[in-house]
mmCIF file of all heavy atoms in Angstrom:
data_model
loop_
_atom_site.group_PDB
_atom_site.id
_atom_site.type_symbol
_atom_site.label_atom_id
_atom_site.label_comp_id
_atom_site.label_asym_id
_atom_site.label_seq_id
_atom_site.Cartn_x
_atom_site.Cartn_y
_atom_site.Cartn_z
ATOM 1 N N VAL A 23 47.599 -40.372 172.659
ATOM 2 C CA VAL A 23 47.817 -40.656 171.244
ATOM 3 C C VAL A 23 48.268 -42.102 171.093
ATOM 4 O O VAL A 23 49.367 -42.463 171.541
ATOM 5 C CB VAL A 23 48.880 -39.717 170.647
ATOM 6 C CG1 VAL A 23 49.063 -40.006 169.150
ATOM 7 C CG2 VAL A 23 48.505 -38.262 170.881
ATOM 8 N N PRO A 58 51.619 -36.682 180.706
ATOM 9 C CA PRO A 58 50.174 -36.902 180.829
ATOM 10 C C PRO A 58 49.541 -35.834 181.734
ATOM 11 O O PRO A 58 50.180 -35.342 182.660
ATOM 12 C CB PRO A 58 50.060 -38.293 181.454
ATOM 13 C CG PRO A 58 51.368 -38.487 182.156
ATOM 14 C CD PRO A 58 52.393 -37.736 181.381
ATOM 15 N N ASP A 72 42.701 -35.704 159.119
ATOM 16 C CA ASP A 72 43.385 -34.922 158.084
ATOM 17 C C ASP A 72 44.823 -35.408 157.910
ATOM 18 O O ASP A 72 45.458 -35.851 158.862
ATOM 19 C CB ASP A 72 43.432 -33.434 158.474
ATOM 20 C CG ASP A 72 42.059 -32.829 158.653
ATOM 21 O OD1 ASP A 72 41.258 -32.922 157.712
ATOM 22 O OD2 ASP A 72 41.789 -32.269 159.739
ATOM 23 N N SER A 147 20.716 -44.292 160.815
ATOM 24 C CA SER A 147 20.634 -43.278 161.876
ATOM 25 C C SER A 147 19.230 -43.210 162.470
ATOM 26 O O SER A 147 18.265 -43.733 161.893
ATOM 27 C CB SER A 147 21.018 -41.908 161.325
ATOM 28 O OG SER A 147 20.019 -41.455 160.427
ATOM 29 N N ASP A 169 16.309 -52.203 175.525
ATOM 30 C CA ASP A 169 16.113 -52.953 176.772
ATOM 31 C C ASP A 169 15.986 -54.449 176.504
ATOM 32 O O ASP A 169 16.435 -55.281 177.311
ATOM 33 C CB ASP A 169 14.865 -52.444 177.510
ATOM 34 C CG ASP A 169 15.064 -51.034 178.056
ATOM 35 O OD1 ASP A 169 16.230 -50.605 178.151
ATOM 36 O OD2 ASP A 169 14.050 -50.369 178.338
ATOM 37 N N VAL A 191 36.765 -39.036 130.585
ATOM 38 C CA VAL A 191 37.150 -40.169 129.726
ATOM 39 C C VAL A 191 38.647 -40.092 129.455
ATOM 40 O O VAL A 191 39.208 -39.004 129.290
ATOM 41 C CB VAL A 191 36.375 -40.108 128.391
ATOM 42 C CG1 VAL A 191 36.740 -41.309 127.506
ATOM 43 C CG2 VAL A 191 34.874 -40.072 128.653
ATOM 44 N N PRO A 281 44.316 4.670 134.505
ATOM 45 C CA PRO A 281 45.448 5.444 135.050
ATOM 46 C C PRO A 281 45.065 6.172 136.339
ATOM 47 O O PRO A 281 43.909 6.576 136.521
ATOM 48 C CB PRO A 281 45.757 6.446 133.924
ATOM 49 C CG PRO A 281 45.174 5.840 132.697
ATOM 50 C CD PRO A 281 43.976 5.064 133.127
ATOM 51 N N GLU A 292 51.146 9.192 150.251
ATOM 52 C CA GLU A 292 50.957 9.470 151.679
ATOM 53 C C GLU A 292 50.779 8.180 152.479
ATOM 54 O O GLU A 292 51.286 8.060 153.605
ATOM 55 C CB GLU A 292 49.738 10.389 151.871
ATOM 56 C CG GLU A 292 49.968 11.820 151.396
ATOM 57 C CD GLU A 292 48.777 12.712 151.697
ATOM 58 O OE1 GLU A 292 47.979 12.376 152.601
ATOM 59 O OE2 GLU A 292 48.641 13.748 151.011
ATOM 60 N N THR A 309 32.517 10.116 148.944
ATOM 61 C CA THR A 309 31.915 9.117 148.061
ATOM 62 C C THR A 309 32.242 9.455 146.611
ATOM 63 O O THR A 309 32.093 10.602 146.177
ATOM 64 C CB THR A 309 30.384 9.084 148.254
ATOM 65 O OG1 THR A 309 29.876 10.410 148.113
ATOM 66 C CG2 THR A 309 30.009 8.551 149.622
ATOM 67 N N GLU A 377 46.171 -22.965 150.837
ATOM 68 C CA GLU A 377 47.225 -23.218 149.841
ATOM 69 C C GLU A 377 47.850 -21.933 149.309
ATOM 70 O O GLU A 377 48.745 -21.969 148.465
ATOM 71 C CB GLU A 377 46.649 -24.048 148.690
ATOM 72 C CG GLU A 377 46.284 -25.474 149.100
ATOM 73 C CD GLU A 377 45.335 -26.140 148.118
ATOM 74 O OE1 GLU A 377 45.062 -25.536 147.049
ATOM 75 O OE2 GLU A 377 44.848 -27.246 148.428
ATOM 76 N N VAL A 401 39.813 -2.672 154.907
ATOM 77 C CA VAL A 401 38.458 -2.675 155.466
ATOM 78 C C VAL A 401 37.714 -1.528 154.800
ATOM 79 O O VAL A 401 37.944 -0.355 155.113
ATOM 80 C CB VAL A 401 38.468 -2.493 157.001
ATOM 81 C CG1 VAL A 401 37.052 -2.597 157.547
ATOM 82 C CG2 VAL A 401 39.373 -3.518 157.667
ATOM 83 N N SER A 408 27.396 -3.283 160.232
ATOM 84 C CA SER A 408 27.271 -4.682 159.811
ATOM 85 C C SER A 408 28.537 -5.489 160.083
ATOM 86 O O SER A 408 28.513 -6.717 159.993
ATOM 87 C CB SER A 408 26.930 -4.773 158.313
ATOM 88 O OG SER A 408 25.715 -4.116 158.045
ATOM 89 N N GLY A 420 34.237 -7.156 163.025
ATOM 90 C CA GLY A 420 35.103 -7.569 161.920
ATOM 91 C C GLY A 420 36.274 -6.637 161.679
ATOM 92 O O GLY A 420 37.376 -7.090 161.368
ATOM 93 N N GLU A 445 35.528 6.303 166.715
ATOM 94 C CA GLU A 445 36.707 5.645 167.280
ATOM 95 C C GLU A 445 37.897 5.710 166.314
ATOM 96 O O GLU A 445 39.019 6.036 166.704
ATOM 97 C CB GLU A 445 36.406 4.183 167.606
ATOM 98 C CG GLU A 445 35.530 3.972 168.818
ATOM 99 C CD GLU A 445 34.050 4.083 168.508
ATOM 100 O OE1 GLU A 445 33.685 4.496 167.387
ATOM 101 O OE2 GLU A 445 33.244 3.768 169.387
ATOM 102 N N VAL A 458 44.864 9.887 155.640
ATOM 103 C CA VAL A 458 45.017 10.333 154.255
ATOM 104 C C VAL A 458 43.642 10.755 153.746
ATOM 105 O O VAL A 458 42.680 9.993 153.869
ATOM 106 C CB VAL A 458 45.589 9.203 153.361
ATOM 107 C CG1 VAL A 458 45.656 9.652 151.906
ATOM 108 C CG2 VAL A 458 46.969 8.787 153.859
ATOM 109 N N THR A 520 2.631 -1.146 161.640
ATOM 110 C CA THR A 520 1.619 -1.300 162.689
ATOM 111 C C THR A 520 0.222 -1.411 162.098
ATOM 112 O O THR A 520 -0.146 -0.632 161.211
ATOM 113 C CB THR A 520 1.639 -0.094 163.668
ATOM 114 O OG1 THR A 520 2.979 0.188 164.036
ATOM 115 C CG2 THR A 520 0.833 -0.400 164.920
ATOM 116 N N HIS A 542 3.002 -7.277 155.510
ATOM 117 C CA HIS A 542 3.655 -7.485 154.218
ATOM 118 C C HIS A 542 2.563 -7.739 153.185
ATOM 119 O O HIS A 542 1.889 -8.768 153.219
ATOM 120 C CB HIS A 542 4.625 -8.673 154.282
ATOM 121 C CG HIS A 542 5.865 -8.385 155.062
ATOM 122 N ND1 HIS A 542 7.100 -8.271 154.482
ATOM 123 C CD2 HIS A 542 6.058 -8.143 156.386
ATOM 124 C CE1 HIS A 542 8.009 -8.002 155.403
ATOM 125 N NE2 HIS A 542 7.392 -7.920 156.574
ATOM 126 N N ARG A 549 3.889 -10.108 159.970
ATOM 127 C CA ARG A 549 5.102 -10.870 160.225
ATOM 128 C C ARG A 549 5.958 -10.185 161.289
ATOM 129 O O ARG A 549 6.081 -8.959 161.309
ATOM 130 C CB ARG A 549 5.901 -10.993 158.926
ATOM 131 C CG ARG A 549 6.981 -12.046 158.956
ATOM 132 C CD ARG A 549 7.690 -12.132 157.620
ATOM 133 N NE ARG A 549 6.762 -12.360 156.515
ATOM 134 C CZ ARG A 549 7.089 -12.232 155.244
ATOM 135 N NH1 ARG A 549 8.323 -11.867 154.914
ATOM 136 N NH2 ARG A 549 6.201 -12.460 154.295
ATOM 137 N N THR A 572 -6.662 0.024 160.772
ATOM 138 C CA THR A 572 -5.816 1.053 160.162
ATOM 139 C C THR A 572 -4.363 0.601 160.107
ATOM 140 O O THR A 572 -3.827 0.102 161.097
ATOM 141 C CB THR A 572 -5.894 2.359 160.982
ATOM 142 O OG1 THR A 572 -7.259 2.772 161.049
ATOM 143 C CG2 THR A 572 -5.049 3.454 160.343
ATOM 144 N N GLY A 679 24.505 15.311 140.891
ATOM 145 C CA GLY A 679 23.217 14.753 141.273
ATOM 146 C C GLY A 679 22.498 15.605 142.299
ATOM 147 O O GLY A 679 23.003 16.642 142.751
#
Side-chain angles (χ1 to χ4, degrees):
V23 182
D72 300 305
S147 69
D169 291 343
V191 182
E292 289 184 22
T309 53
E377 292 162 7
V401 184
S408 300
E445 287 84 351
V458 176
T520 314
H542 288 249
R549 195 178 305 167
T572 302

